[in-house]
Amino acid sequence: MRLCLLPATLLTLLFVSPVLSSSQYPLTSTLSTTLVDALSNDPNYTSLLHLLQRARLIPTLNKLNGCTLFAPTNDAIRQYLRGNDLWRSAFHDDHLLLNDNVHEQLRQQLFYHLLNHTTQELPNHSTRIYKTLHYPRVLLDPPSRDPPPSPPWLPIPGGTLGGEPQLLRVSESSVGVDAFGKGGAKIVNTSTAGNGIIYGITKVLEPPGDLAEVVSQQSSVSFLNKLSTTAMTKLLNSTSELTLFLPVDTAWDALDHYERLYLESEYSTNDLNRILNLHAVVEEGVRYSDTFGKTTNLTTLDGSKLEIKVSSMSTTISGAGLVESDIFASNGVLHLVDSLLVPPGTLQLTPEKYLLALNGTTFVSLLHSVDLGSLINNTDVKYTILVPSDEVMSLHGDKELPERGSEDLRKLLQYHFLPGNWTSEKLADGMLLETALEEDGLPGRRQVLSVGVSLDDKKLAEKSIRFAGAKTIGNPIKVNNTLLYFISRPLVPPVDPLQTALPFLDLSSFLAAIFSTSQAEILRKAPHTSLLIPHNSAFKRLGLLVSAHLLGTSAKQDLESVLLHHALDTIEYAQSLRNGSQHTFSTLEGSDVRFDRLKNGSLYVSPSGGWTGMQSELFVKDLLTNTGVVHELSDILIPRSVNLTIGKLVKAAQGSTMASLAAKAGFEWVLNGTAPPEGFSWDNEVLPGVGWTLLCPTDNAFKDVNLTQLYADPDALRGIVAQHLIPTQALEGGSLIIDTDALYNNQPIPLDNSPTYNTLLSSRSAYGDLVFRWRDDLQSNGYIVGIKGARGTDGSADWARVLSWGRSTNAGGGVIQIDRLLQPYHPPWWISYGAPTVVGVGSCILICLFFYGVRLVWQRDTTEATYEPIGGFGRDDDDD
């Protein structure tokens, strides 16, 4: 750096010294001895003279009129050279003699050893501050190798201390001491010269560095040093005329433990920068302690006010005591205080700061990646936040979470925020709480999560709380308007209804039915719905033929209507279903279902269609989805749009041959569930409003039947069909329920207790009735049906095994699948005529025997002796 010549007034000040005092002596260049002479005469300063020559300061010392030189001895310089490359290079490198402008820094350090007055007396039992000839400044460029201006080189006023030179504190025995008189270089001897005085010292004086360096060297502000940021360092090392009031380590104890943890985290940069600005003042001129009046007001870089009060007893800065003052730096001064100078409410402790302090940095980082930082930085809104800690997040890994910045991650994180403060006292088992997550499938409302509350097994007085199945860890933490719960795993928002139900194996049959139709996407995405899914057993309870029909390829429309009938077009959670006043709910199929609540808490659902008494028990599960909720049913619901005719069930029973026989015989109306046509030959036997149960042999049952011959005999054909048709009428009260374990019986007619039923043939044949029995043996295990009274050689043609059944939705009845065709029974002649003949013959014989007996008796009466009455038989007794 090129030096400039001082103005004439400054030269006059330095060389003429017009102001005299008790400590300054008017010395002129005519005196015989100078400071250089005094140094030359003392062998302890040869090293110092060598450095003064290298720095080209010999002419300067000769020209100074009245000054004080604190001269390091040879030992002091030798020791200093070991640790200072600049001094060592200047001392030993002869190649730098001509380009000595490189030694600008050396000259400035040597100026720090010079005072512009003669100090004859040192302070006694105290310290005193003096101005040196060192004017610190920021060197923007490295020193130039160009030749410097002609000597003498003089200090240039200006620099980073507002035009003021650097200060030096001196005690009675040391130089460069702190405010308490400790440290510094010991004064070992004194020499007097014509233009000043020399104090020999044991150390080389190091000019104070910038405030960043000075602060880093202060052990009493180690906590602040640990928190230092790049912006803080830049402020401290590049700002001129900076006055700092920094709190000592004990001052930070006033902060909450979590506040300190937050400030130590990597996310506290902005707050740390602000804290420093609250303790920093930049004005014209550095505010040393001797500039404080009784009351002084300063404005910090943050804009807050500092009120300084000085009394004979103490000095306070906005209520904080001044611990140590005037720690000099090249660009300002440092004062130490015993309290933080942070106005109340200036630094609000946001949830984010607590999360960072409590090992929730990954959670915070993920929130910022999807622009949700406002959820943890708004202190006005009340939230309960469910936080997985860093350890929990590391266990699950990034692969188990959506990609950073993605919409899926945004939804997942919103699911961890509950509006309001939900303390443990407010939580109850089974509650559903709204979250901050707004789903497209939930228009007008937010997604909810479930709460589980139970007593801890080990500590019965404490609650064990679960949110969406995740356990809480530790006690909740209150942060202003926010409540924090740490949980055992990240929460995953509900997915679509079908994916939600997929893990439940007992619901797999209904799901398979859904995926086999075109309604899967509708049920997956339909907004604002409650899906009621029956258990797998519901298909068996429905009746195998009904299930086979619905799951058949030709019944897709019926199946889709049934599926949509299980989807309510409103969201009904368990609470509203149990305690709500509404009983009827519309479905996506278009018709309604009805809910009945029993006193014992049970819930039953009745469909809009099906057969009389059809209902299902509802098991409220609150399986949450992104479109609503899923509950479970015991049975399948059939809407009124699904007409289960006998014809459909016959097809499901693989009874196409029987269907053909019925149609050929004129019973097609039975298959279609309609009234018989006018002029139907069996019209007298058909009762109005009566349903029909058709015993349907499988197609395989006709393998030994001559269908051609049968079709050619209409009477025989009608007789066969009539033998398989049972008039069916609901019992009183509209119920055919006989199975107490089921909500309703899926049998078209009751089969237990060996019932006997009339058939359509019963009015024309004594052998038209059918009887059902349960048979449990090696030959047959299940129900069998036979013609009542039939007596074949072995009876094999007169009975069949029941394979399955299904109920019709038309006036009762249905189809019972059997494995054999029941031929109308025609007994042989010895059975038809034998009995009457035997009875007639027997009657004749008995009659003959009767009269024969009478004759015998009569003959006996005529052959026996008799006595004639006196007077003869013709005499009258009156004649006497």
Side-chain angles (χ1 to χ4, degrees), residues 8 220 230 257 312 481 760 803:
S220 58
T230 302
H257 170 67
S312 59
N481 287 327
L760 189 58
L803 303 179

Side-chain angles (χ1 to χ4, degrees), residues 283-334:
E283 292 185 349
E284 185 177 351
V286 179
R287 302 309 299 260
Y288 298 105
S289 62
D290 59 4
T291 65
F292 300 160
K294 286 188 176 181
T295 301
T296 304
N297 291 312
L298 303 177
T299 302
T300 67
L301 290 178
D302 190 68
S304 62
K305 298 295 183 180
L306 296 180
E307 184 180 24
I308 302 176
K309 293 184 178 181
V310 179
S311 66
S312 59
M313 300 295 295
S314 64
T315 298
T316 60
I317 294 86
S318 294
L322 187 62
V323 176
E324 183 176 353
S325 62
D326 298 328
I327 302 174
F328 306 131
S330 63
N331 60 332
V333 66
L334 170 63

Side-chain angles (χ1 to χ4, degrees), residues 363-629:
F363 185 70
V364 171
S365 176
L366 292 175
L367 287 168
H368 283 290
S369 75
V370 290
D371 298 326
L372 290 178
S374 60
L375 291 177
I376 52 175
N377 285 296
N378 189 339
T379 57
D380 296 328
V381 181
K382 290 184 177 182
Y383 271 118
T384 297
I385 306 178
L386 311 177
V387 186
S389 66
D390 290 344
E391 290 82 359
V392 170
M393 298 296 280
S394 64
L395 289 175
H396 289 80
D398 293 337
K399 294 183 179 180
E400 295 186 21
L401 296 174
E403 184 179 355
R404 282 178 175 262
S406 65
E407 182 62 22
D408 288 341
L409 178 61
R410 182 182 180 87
K411 290 182 177 181
L412 182 144
L413 295 174
Q414 287 176 324
Y415 197 56
H416 290 73
F417 288 80
L418 313 177
N421 287 161
W422 291 98
T423 60
S424 57
E425 292 77 15
K426 296 180 181 179
L427 299 176
D429 190 52
M431 291 180 67
L432 294 178
L433 303 180
E434 277 196 346
T435 69
L437 174 59
E438 296 181 0
E439 292 274 19
D440 294 336
L442 302 171
R445 62 198 304 173
R446 294 178 176 180
Q447 185 57 273
V448 298
L449 60 73
S450 60
V451 176
V453 178
S454 60
L455 293 178
D456 191 283
D457 293 337
K458 296 182 179 179
K459 299 179 180 179
L460 296 179
E462 296 184 5
K463 285 183 177 180
S464 175
I465 300 174
R466 301 175 304 281
F467 291 100
K471 292 193 66 174
T472 57
I473 302 173
N475 295 320
I477 300 172
K478 189 73 164 60
V479 184
N480 297 324
N481 287 327
T482 302
L483 196 63
L484 302 179
Y485 284 93
F486 282 85
I487 54 178
S488 60
R489 60 171 174 81
L491 304 182
V492 178
V495 292
D496 65 73
L498 306 187
Q499 190 174 349
T500 298
L502 199 57
F504 297 90
L505 297 180
D506 197 32
L507 308 179
S508 58
S509 295
F510 193 80
L511 291 178
I514 291 176
F515 287 121
S516 69
T517 69
S518 60
Q519 304 301 314
E521 283 303 302
I522 294 178
L523 293 173
R524 186 195 303 275
K525 297 180 179 179
H528 214 258
T529 55
S530 301
L531 187 60
L532 313 179
I533 302 183
H535 297 153
N536 292 346
S537 59
F539 285 89
K540 183 177 180 181
R541 289 159 63 89
L542 188 63
L544 295 182
L545 294 185
V546 177
S547 298
H549 164 69
L550 293 177
L551 300 177
T553 56
S554 61
K556 291 297 184 184
Q557 186 174 355
D558 283 352
L559 177 60
E560 290 176 355
S561 297
V562 169
L563 297 177
L564 294 178
H565 198 55
H566 288 76
L568 310 183
D569 64 359
T570 180
I571 300 177
E572 298 297 332
Y573 299 116
Q575 182 71 14
S576 62
L577 290 176
R578 289 194 180 105
N579 304 319
S581 58
Q582 186 174 354
H583 290 273
T584 303
F585 299 91
S586 59
T587 67
L588 296 183
E589 178 266 338
S591 59
D592 297 342
V593 294
R594 177 178 177 80
F595 284 75
D596 294 303
R597 305 172 180 90
L598 302 187
K599 292 182 179 180
N600 62 2
S602 300
L603 287 169
Y604 293 92
V605 186
S606 300
S608 63
W611 43 82
T612 303
M614 173 178 272
Q615 60 181 0
S616 172
E617 185 174 3
L618 177 69
F619 306 101
V620 285
K621 295 295 184 180
D622 278 344
L623 302 178
L624 304 177
T625 74
N626 59 5
T627 59
V629 67

Side-chain angles (χ1 to χ4, degrees), residues 795-826:
S796 61
D798 307 319
W799 64 270
R801 287 183 298 169
V802 174
L803 303 179
S804 61
W805 52 78
R807 289 187 71 173
S808 170
T809 58
N810 290 44
V815 172
I816 297 177
Q817 184 188 40
I818 57 178
D819 69 343
R820 185 177 297 163
L821 180 67
L822 297 178
Q823 297 278 2
Y825 182 69
H826 299 290

Side-chain angles (χ1 to χ4, degrees), residues 141-197:
D141 299 308
S144 171
R145 290 182 178 271
D146 296 335
S150 300
W153 291 312
L154 302 174
I156 302 175
T160 56
L161 293 177
E164 293 294 320
Q166 187 56 270
L167 302 181
L168 181 66
R169 186 180 285 109
V170 180
S171 68
E172 61 179 340
S173 60
S174 300
V175 181
V177 297
D178 60 20
F180 304 104
K182 298 180 180 180
K186 296 293 184 181
I187 299 175
V188 293
N189 56 55
T190 305
S191 301
T192 304
N195 63 339
I197 189 170

Side-chain angles (χ1 to χ4, degrees), residues 35-43 45 48-49 52 61 69 71 198:
L35 292 174
V36 175
D37 294 333
L39 292 173
S40 301
N41 293 333
D42 192 331
Y45 302 117
L48 177 60
L49 278 172
L52 289 171
L61 290 180
L69 174 62
I198 300 173

